[in-house]
């Protein structure tokens, strides 16, 4: 392995590291016994979070039972699109923590958190049609990672007034991380504790902030994991996720480490490629069954996906932006969510990958799930109730791919006045006019949704929204957006003549090319 860790701190000898571990043990014990504020440890299953859990576990286990008076929560968030091996590793670790903490009478309480079904990756991408995340639209991170942990910490704060959040972040990870952590030090309210930057009534504690990567590995290799999970297996997992499958034996703090491996979501399009998953497959032929995951990610990772997306934003309006094309400024619509065709395509793609993975996976990974039944049910609900796609295509696609009928846990969801037959008739009547089909479908389904209500309050407003978003053709909707933009700019410039011209275009429809009013008979029979 040729990647050498950047030196931001001078290396320490092994005796110096041992001395620092003893100091940290005493510090953790003092912090624990000082008050009744519970600790919340962020645990990902990686080397840094494993090190801090191990440090705190060993420190608290040395205290007598009568001093183990407050809870220590260990929380990990499963995004449901994690690297399958990492996910399985963390789940086993959490289970072992629970068992061992109970046997040792430790106040450590592990929790496996997941995002709400309405906020998962596939619910957003396939259900609502959100495009694959980019740095300019990083919609996934808050929903999948931040919100579940923040919600748990807020509940702890609500019950205890305060909480101490413990993280395994280190200054040597990058110069940017060092700058952020150094700045936080200036605002410390207690020794080694600073205010959490985002959570009120929460303090932040980073015990290994000055450790180097090789020191983390040295600690994990030389100190046995106290809850029975193998640190050597963790090291092997990092080694397998390194491109050259090489990690040196850590014998002292001068040895270069293999800490550059990064485990993340297998669908992540915020990076060029999932190097850790690709390296796992490259280094181990027995992991080739994971190849369908890489294939799905490659198809999602398309820089220019405008043709796959609606010309309107998700709420149905056209927004314009200035786009630079070959040095020329072009004012174009901001692309919106994936269209119906592509949302159904992504669903089929993921289900096909899931079938292949389950077929070829080893016995201990046969229960792997790329998309859960709860997510499928929520996607179906969104398509039916929010997108008004009453052809109800999800059960059909599911059965075509898996060979099994889709069983929805929601009662009565399959019973509707409108279905695939009505959709086919409507599609035949509207022909290639997709906007006309969308308008008719939205109007009919809006009426259906109000049909069973005892009070139909709000139906006129909802019908009006259907016309606002779907009554114009694509060209007319874009032209209307341009007129509104031109009028707004003219008002901002106080150009009265331009304002009059734009208002004349808007308010004098007789100046436009007259459109022939078509009846249903003419549409159907010509």
């Amino acid at each position: 392995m040729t990647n050498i860790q950047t030196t931001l701190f001078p290396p320490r000898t092994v005796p110096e590291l041992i001395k620092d571990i003893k100091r940290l043990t005493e510090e953790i014990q003092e912090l624990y016994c000082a008050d009744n504020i519970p600790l919340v440890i962020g645990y990902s299953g990686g080397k840094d979070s494993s090190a801090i859990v191990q440090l705190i576990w060993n420190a608290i286990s040395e205290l007598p039972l009568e001093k183990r008076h407050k809870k220590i929560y260990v929380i990990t968030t499963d995004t449901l699109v994690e690297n399958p091996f990492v996910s399985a590793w963390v789940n086993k670790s959490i289970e072992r923590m629970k068992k061992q903490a109970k046997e040792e009478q430790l106040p450590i309480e592990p929790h496996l958190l997941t995002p709400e079904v309405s906020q998962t990756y596939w619910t957003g991408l396939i259900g609502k049609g959100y495009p694959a995340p980019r740095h300019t639209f990083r919609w996934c991170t808050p929903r999948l990672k931040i919100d579940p942990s923040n919600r748990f910490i807020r509940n702890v704060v609500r019950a205890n007034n305060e909480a101490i959040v413990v993280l395994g972040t280190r200054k040597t990870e990058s110069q940017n991380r060092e700058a952020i952590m150094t700045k936080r030090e200036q605002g410390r309210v207690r020794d080694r504790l600073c205010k959490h930057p985002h959570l009120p009534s929460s303090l932040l504690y980073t015990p290994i902030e000055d450790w180097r990567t090789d020191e983390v590995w040295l600690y994990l290799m030389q100190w046995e994991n106290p809850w029975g999970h193998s640190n050597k297996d963790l090291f092997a997992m990092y080694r397998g996720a390194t491109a050259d499958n090489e990690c040196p034996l850590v014998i002292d703090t001068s040895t270069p480490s293999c800490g550059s491996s990064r485990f993340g979501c297998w669908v992540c399009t915020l990076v060029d490629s999932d190097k850790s998953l690709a390296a796992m497959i490259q280094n181990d032929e027995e992991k080739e069954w994971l190849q369908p995951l890489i294939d799905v990610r490659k198809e999602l990772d398309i820089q220019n996906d405008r043709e796959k997306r609606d010309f309107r934003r998700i709420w149905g309006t056209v927004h314009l932006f200035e786009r630079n094309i070959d040095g020329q400024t072009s004012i174009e619509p901001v692309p919106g969510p994936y269209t119906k065709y592509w949302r159904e395509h992504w669903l089929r793609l993921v289900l096909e990958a899931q079938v292949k993975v389950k077929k070829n996976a080893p016995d201990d990974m046969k229960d792997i799930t790329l998309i859960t039944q709860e997510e499928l049910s929520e996607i179906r609900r969104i398509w039916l109730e929010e997108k008004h796609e009453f052809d109800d295509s999800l059960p059909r696609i599911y059965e075509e791919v898996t060979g099994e009928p889709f069983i929805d846990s929601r009662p009565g969801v399959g019973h509707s006045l409108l279905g695939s037959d009505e959709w086919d008739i409507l599609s035949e009547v509207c022909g290639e006019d997709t906007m006309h089909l969308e308008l008719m479908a939205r109007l009919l389904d809006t009426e259906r949704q109000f049909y069973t209500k005892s009070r139909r309050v709000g139906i006129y407003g909802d019908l009006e929204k259907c016309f606002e978003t779907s009554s114009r053709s694509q060209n007319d909707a874009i032209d209307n957006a341009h007129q509104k933009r031109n009028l707004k700019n003219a008002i901002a410039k106080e150009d009265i003549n331009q304002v009059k011209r734009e208002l004349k275009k808007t308010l004098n429809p007789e100046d436009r090319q007259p459109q022939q009013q078509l009846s249903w008979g003419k549409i159907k029979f010509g």
Side-chain angles (χ1 to χ4, degrees):
M1 180 175 178
T2 59
N3 184 27
I4 304 299
Q5 178 182 337
T6 303
T7 301
L8 297 177
F9 290 87
R12 295 183 291 187
T13 63
V14 173
E16 288 174 335
L17 177 62
I18 294 174
K19 184 178 179 180
D20 190 45
I21 292 171
K22 291 181 179 179
R23 180 192 62 79
L24 278 175
T25 300
E26 295 174 359
E27 179 179 282
I28 291 167
Q29 291 172 343
E30 291 176 4
L31 180 66
Y32 181 82
C33 296
D35 48 45
N36 292 318
I37 303 175
L39 304 181
V40 182
I41 307 173
Y43 176 68
S44 66
K47 62 184 188 305
D48 296 327
S49 60
S50 295
I52 61 170
V53 174
Q54 185 165 308
L55 276 169
I56 293 174
W57 187 297
N58 289 334
I60 302 306
S61 64
E62 294 178 5
L63 295 175
L65 289 176
E66 60 271 14
K67 288 190 175 182
R68 303 176 190 177
H69 64 286
K70 66 181 182 183
K71 287 281 187 182
I72 299 176
Y73 301 99
V74 179
I75 61 172
T76 184
T77 303
D78 183 358
T79 63
L80 304 180
V81 283
E82 299 286 344
N83 180 310
F85 274 97
V86 177
S87 179
W89 165 271
V90 173
N91 289 345
K92 290 178 182 177
S93 181
I94 289 293
E95 290 303 316
R96 287 177 176 173
M97 275 189 203
K98 291 178 181 178
K99 181 180 179 181
Q100 193 63 28
K102 186 176 181 180
E103 291 180 1
E104 296 184 22
Q105 297 183 332
L106 290 171
I108 296 176
E109 192 175 290
H111 290 267
L112 181 63
L113 311 178
T114 56
E116 296 179 351
V117 68
S118 61
Q119 302 296 316
T120 67
Y121 183 86
W122 296 124
T123 298
L125 189 137
I126 298 177
K128 295 182 179 294
Y130 292 158
R134 300 292 175 193
H135 290 288
T136 53
F137 186 34
R138 192 171 180 169
W139 57 267
C140 54
T141 305
R143 290 173 170 85
L144 305 186
K145 288 182 176 290
I146 299 175
D147 290 349
S149 57
N150 283 1
R151 186 164 53 249
F152 183 91
I153 295 170
R154 288 193 192 98
N155 289 335
V156 172
V157 171
R158 195 173 292 115
N160 301 275
N161 298 321
E162 285 184 283
I164 297 175
V165 180
V166 188
L167 298 178
T169 51
R170 296 179 295 109
K171 295 177 182 177
T172 57
E173 293 180 71
S174 67
Q175 293 183 353
N176 184 53
R177 178 64 58 85
E178 181 194 14
I180 293 173
M181 296 183 72
T182 302
K183 184 177 180 180
R184 286 177 185 167
E185 288 179 2
Q186 301 172 0
R188 282 181 171 171
V189 294
R190 287 169 53 182
D191 291 341
R192 303 272 285 184
L193 296 179
C194 63
K195 290 183 178 179
H196 196 287
H198 307 296
L199 294 171
S201 301
S202 300
L203 300 172
L204 190 60
Y205 177 44
T206 51
I208 61 170
E209 58 185 23
D210 295 330
W211 283 27
R212 293 162 52 89
T213 302
D214 45 20
E215 293 173 337
V216 174
W217 280 122
L218 181 62
Y219 173 65
L220 292 174
M221 292 298 100
Q222 300 301 322
W223 277 260
E224 186 178 359
N225 186 294
W227 61 91
H229 219 40
S230 173
N231 289 338
K232 289 182 173 60
D233 288 347
L234 175 63
F235 183 81
M237 187 166 64
Y238 269 83
R239 181 177 59 190
T242 306
D244 53 12
N245 194 24
E246 181 181 347
C247 282
L249 176 63
V250 180
I251 56 175
D252 56 44
T253 55
S254 64
T255 308
S257 71
C258 71
S260 60
S261 303
R262 286 286 182 178
F263 301 109
C265 302
W266 64 267
V267 293
C268 185
T269 49
L270 296 170
V271 294
D272 293 335
S273 63
D274 189 342
K275 295 180 180 179
S276 63
L277 186 59
M280 280 185 174
I281 298 172
Q282 172 188 323
N283 297 329
D284 189 350
E285 292 182 358
E286 294 182 359
K287 294 186 175 68
E288 288 184 356
W289 58 273
L290 288 169
Q291 184 61 41
L293 276 65
I294 292 182
D295 295 338
V296 170
R297 187 205 167 279
K298 284 182 179 178
E299 187 155 346
L300 283 172
D301 191 16
I302 301 173
Q303 292 295 331
N304 186 8
D305 58 358
R306 297 171 67 87
E307 293 182 357
K308 296 178 173 61
R309 296 162 63 181
D310 202 314
F311 67 94
R312 298 158 297 175
R313 303 303 298 271
I314 198 165
W315 49 84
T317 56
V318 178
H319 278 211
L320 303 175
F321 77 112
E322 293 184 358
R323 187 183 181 201
N324 190 310
I325 303 177
D326 299 329
Q328 301 294 324
T329 300
S330 175
I331 301 173
E332 300 181 8
V334 177
Y338 289 126
T339 61
K340 183 178 189 294
Y341 172 85
W342 285 104
R343 284 184 279 110
E344 292 176 349
H345 172 76
W346 299 134
L347 173 64
R348 187 181 296 274
L349 191 71
V350 174
L351 288 174
E352 288 173 349
Q354 180 167 280
V355 170
K356 292 177 184 177
V357 165
K358 284 192 172 186
K359 179 181 178 181
N360 299 317
D363 293 339
D364 59 341
M365 298 290 287
K366 287 290 187 182
D367 60 345
I368 185 173
T369 302
L370 303 185
I371 184 169
T372 66
Q373 291 296 112
E374 291 78 14
E375 288 177 291
L376 290 169
S377 179
E378 177 64 11
I379 291 169
R380 185 186 189 190
R381 184 199 66 79
I382 292 171
W383 288 3
L384 287 172
E385 298 180 12
E386 297 182 17
K387 305 244 181 225
H388 303 283
E389 295 166 355
F390 53 78
D391 59 327
D392 197 13
S393 59
L394 187 144
R396 171 180 54 81
I397 295 172
Y398 183 88
E399 186 167 2
E400 288 175 357
V401 175
T402 66
E404 301 174 357
F406 178 68
I407 301 175
D408 200 323
S409 58
R410 294 179 299 143
V413 69
H415 306 288
S416 175
L417 294 174
L418 299 172
S420 58
D421 292 340
E422 288 76 15
W423 184 275
D424 291 341
I425 293 172
L426 201 58
S427 299
E428 183 183 353
V429 170
C430 295
E432 297 181 359
D433 191 344
T434 56
M435 294 304 296
H436 199 180
L437 171 62
E438 179 182 304
L439 176 61
M440 293 299 103
R442 289 175 65 88
L443 289 172
L444 286 170
D445 198 54
T446 299
E447 166 62 27
R448 178 198 62 79
Q449 290 180 358
F450 279 89
Y451 179 76
T452 57
K453 296 182 179 180
S454 57
R455 299 182 68 230
R456 294 159 62 86
V457 176
I459 185 173
Y460 293 116
D462 285 1
L463 291 174
E464 183 65 28
K465 290 179 183 177
C466 296
F467 284 104
E468 290 175 359
T469 60
S470 308
S471 61
R472 294 184 177 93
S473 67
Q474 179 172 340
N475 290 335
D476 287 346
I478 294 173
D479 288 344
N480 183 61
H482 277 283
Q483 289 176 8
K484 289 182 177 180
R485 182 180 185 275
N486 294 338
L487 179 59
K488 183 178 179 180
N489 290 340
I491 293 173
K493 294 178 182 179
E494 298 182 356
D495 187 339
I496 302 300
N497 294 328
Q498 180 67 19
V499 170
K500 289 180 179 179
R501 286 194 294 270
E502 296 300 330
L503 286 175
K504 185 178 180 181
K505 293 179 184 178
T506 305
L507 300 177
N508 295 341
E510 64 274 6
D511 293 342
R512 301 181 184 179
Q513 186 69 23
Q515 295 183 352
Q516 183 181 5
Q517 183 66 36
L518 298 178
S519 66
W520 282 106
K522 289 181 179 179
I523 294 174
K524 176 67 177 176
F525 303 107

